[in-house]
Protein backbone atom coordinates (compact mmCIF):
# COMPACT_ATOMS: atom_id res chain seq x y z
CA UNK A 1 0.00 0.00 0.00
CA UNK A 2 1.40 3.34 -1.10
CA UNK A 3 0.96 6.19 1.39
CA UNK A 4 2.53 8.98 -0.66
CA UNK A 5 0.13 11.96 -0.66
CA UNK A 6 -1.29 13.15 -3.96
CA UNK A 7 -2.35 16.60 -5.17
CA UNK A 8 -5.12 17.38 -7.66
CA UNK A 9 -4.84 20.31 -10.03
CA UNK A 10 -7.92 21.59 -11.85
CA UNK A 11 -7.47 23.94 -14.82
CA UNK A 12 -10.59 25.65 -16.18
CA UNK A 13 -9.53 26.64 -19.65
CA UNK A 14 -11.68 28.13 -22.35
CA UNK A 15 -10.99 25.11 -24.60
CA UNK A 16 -10.77 22.25 -22.10
CA UNK A 17 -11.20 21.64 -18.40
CA UNK A 18 -8.33 19.51 -17.18
CA UNK A 19 -7.79 17.59 -13.95
CA UNK A 20 -4.34 16.19 -13.20
CA UNK A 21 -3.23 14.29 -10.12
CA UNK A 22 0.39 14.64 -9.05
CA UNK A 23 2.83 13.17 -6.60
CA UNK A 24 4.59 15.81 -4.46
CA UNK A 25 7.67 15.67 -6.74
CA UNK A 26 5.54 16.79 -9.70
CA UNK A 27 5.13 13.38 -11.33
CA UNK A 28 1.71 13.11 -12.98
CA UNK A 29 -0.13 9.91 -12.02
CA UNK A 30 -3.55 10.54 -13.62
CA UNK A 31 -5.18 13.03 -15.94
CA UNK A 32 -8.46 13.83 -17.65
CA UNK A 33 -9.57 16.51 -20.08
CA UNK A 34 -13.14 17.45 -20.98
CA UNK A 35 -14.18 20.10 -23.53
CA UNK A 36 -15.28 23.36 -21.92
CA UNK A 37 -19.00 23.88 -22.61
CA UNK A 38 -19.05 27.30 -24.26
CA UNK A 39 -22.24 28.76 -25.71
CA UNK A 40 -22.38 31.14 -28.66
CA UNK A 41 -25.91 32.64 -28.64
CA UNK A 42 -25.09 34.97 -31.53
CA UNK A 43 -22.11 36.15 -33.56
CA UNK A 44 -19.39 37.61 -31.35
CA UNK A 45 -20.96 36.45 -28.09
CA UNK A 46 -19.59 33.67 -25.87
CA UNK A 47 -20.73 32.62 -22.43
CA UNK A 48 -20.89 29.77 -19.95
CA UNK A 49 -23.77 28.28 -18.02
CA UNK A 50 -22.34 28.26 -14.49
CA UNK A 51 -24.02 25.03 -13.37
CA UNK A 52 -22.94 23.26 -16.55
CA UNK A 53 -19.39 24.54 -16.04
CA UNK A 54 -19.36 23.17 -12.47
CA UNK A 55 -20.69 19.78 -13.59
CA UNK A 56 -17.97 19.63 -16.27
CA UNK A 57 -15.34 20.33 -13.60
CA UNK A 58 -16.77 17.52 -11.46
CA UNK A 59 -16.71 15.20 -14.48
CA UNK A 60 -13.04 15.94 -15.19
CA UNK A 61 -12.08 15.40 -11.54
CA UNK A 62 -14.03 12.13 -11.33
CA UNK A 63 -12.36 10.84 -14.48
CA UNK A 64 -8.90 11.62 -13.10
CA UNK A 65 -9.64 10.27 -9.60
CA UNK A 66 -11.01 7.03 -11.08
CA UNK A 67 -7.50 6.30 -12.37
CA UNK A 68 -5.98 6.36 -8.87
CA UNK A 69 -5.96 3.14 -6.83
CA UNK A 70 -6.14 4.91 -3.50
CA UNK A 71 -7.99 8.19 -4.02
CA UNK A 72 -7.97 8.86 -0.27
CA UNK A 73 -4.30 9.78 -0.79
CA UNK A 74 -5.43 13.05 -2.42
CA UNK A 75 -4.74 15.66 0.25
CA UNK A 76 -5.07 18.93 -1.65
CA UNK A 77 -6.71 20.63 -4.60
CA UNK A 78 -5.51 23.65 -6.56
CA UNK A 79 -7.67 25.49 -9.09
CA UNK A 80 -6.62 27.73 -11.95
CA UNK A 81 -9.18 29.38 -14.19
CA UNK A 82 -9.91 32.08 -16.69
CA UNK A 83 -9.62 34.97 -14.25
CA UNK A 84 -11.09 37.51 -16.62
CA UNK A 85 -14.57 35.98 -16.32
CA UNK A 86 -16.72 36.38 -13.25
CA UNK A 87 -19.93 34.84 -12.00
CA UNK A 88 -22.70 37.12 -10.71
CA UNK A 89 -24.40 35.56 -7.66
CA UNK A 90 -27.41 36.56 -5.59
CA UNK A 91 -27.58 36.70 -1.78
CA UNK A 92 -28.02 32.90 -1.71
CA UNK A 93 -24.94 32.31 -3.90
CA UNK A 94 -27.11 31.34 -6.87
CA UNK A 95 -26.10 32.50 -10.37
CA UNK A 96 -28.16 35.41 -11.69
CA UNK A 97 -26.83 35.27 -15.27
CA UNK A 98 -24.55 33.30 -17.50
CA UNK A 99 -20.85 34.04 -17.20
CA UNK A 100 -19.48 36.06 -20.12
CA UNK A 101 -16.33 34.55 -21.63
CA UNK A 102 -13.14 36.59 -21.69
CA UNK A 103 -13.12 36.52 -25.51
CA UNK A 104 -16.73 37.72 -25.90
CA UNK A 105 -16.89 40.57 -28.41
CA UNK A 106 -20.19 42.29 -27.53
CA UNK A 107 -18.46 45.28 -25.89
CA UNK A 108 -16.17 46.02 -28.82
Amino acid sequence: MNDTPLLLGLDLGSTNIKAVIYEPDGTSVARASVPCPTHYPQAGWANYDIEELWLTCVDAMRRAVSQVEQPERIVGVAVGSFGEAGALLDANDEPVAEMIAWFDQRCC
Side-chain angles (χ1 to χ4, degrees):
M1 180 171 197
N2 188 345
D3 62 351
T4 304
L6 298 173
L7 307 168
L8 187 149
L10 181 66
D11 175 22
L12 283 74
S14 54
T15 303
N16 292 300
I17 295 175
K18 299 163 286 296
V20 184
I21 299 174
Y22 297 96
E23 292 184 342
D25 68 0
T27 303
S28 169
V29 297
R31 64 181 54 237
S33 180
V34 180
C36 183
T38 308
H39 299 275
Y40 302 92
Q42 63 185 41
W45 291 28
N47 56 44
Y48 307 104
D49 175 283
I50 297 168
E51 181 68 17
E52 182 181 31
L53 196 59
W54 168 245
L55 293 174
T56 305
C57 291
V58 170
D59 181 32
M61 290 186 288
R62 282 185 175 150
R63 289 177 189 220
V65 170
S66 72
Q67 300 170 42
V68 176
E69 273 189 42
Q70 299 167 282
E72 64 275 6
R73 292 171 42 208
I74 299 171
V75 297
V77 177
V79 179
S81 70
F82 24 74
E84 301 82 6
L88 299 174
L89 306 175
D90 66 16
N92 297 313
D93 293 331
E94 295 296 325
V96 297
E98 290 190 330
M99 186 167 50
I100 298 173
W102 65 268
F103 53 88
D104 184 279
Q105 297 294 307
R106 70 185 89 183
C107 67
C108 300

